[in-house]
Amino acid sequence: MKHRLLAILLGLGLFAPAIAQINEEAYEVEAGLIRLPVSISGSVILRECQGCEQFTHRVTAATSYRINGTRTTLAQLKEVLPQAVAAGGIFVVAYDIETRNVTFVALDI
């Protein structure tokens, strides 16, 4: 019993640093409620619902983009946006809590 408890406590201790480093929040929005940045130094503008408050977050050169889990470019993401709107696609936009800069933009169609 002591060994099992010790193993559990040690296991939790290994994960504690990873848990303490989580520094992101995210929005989940319909494709029709997002405006993608014009360039890699622009901003993502989004709403969580049609009548909801608008949020703006800056993208950086470090921001990553994904379509259906596959890494892509901002240009490709913007090209697919009309199809995503028509198909009812969903975006996840994650951002750093401290800087409020976007860490990734992911689209699921």
Side-chain angles (χ1 to χ4, degrees), residues 24-31 34-37 39-40 42-46 57-60 62-74 76-78 81 90-95 101-108:
E24 286 184 333
E25 288 287 330
Y27 299 99
E28 185 174 298
V29 299
E30 296 173 15
I34 192 168
R35 280 191 277 164
L36 295 172
S39 69
I40 60 168
S43 297
V44 173
I45 301 169
L46 56 90
H57 293 279
R58 295 204 61 84
V59 296
T60 66
T63 302
S64 65
Y65 303 92
R66 301 178 195 130
I67 298 174
N68 295 329
T70 302
R71 197 168 183 127
T72 190
T73 64
L74 174 58
Q76 291 170 326
L77 193 61
K78 288 167 53 174
L81 183 58
I90 300 293
F91 277 92
V92 173
V93 178
Y95 64 93
N101 290 337
V102 176
T103 55
F104 73 84
V105 178
L107 169 64
D108 286 319

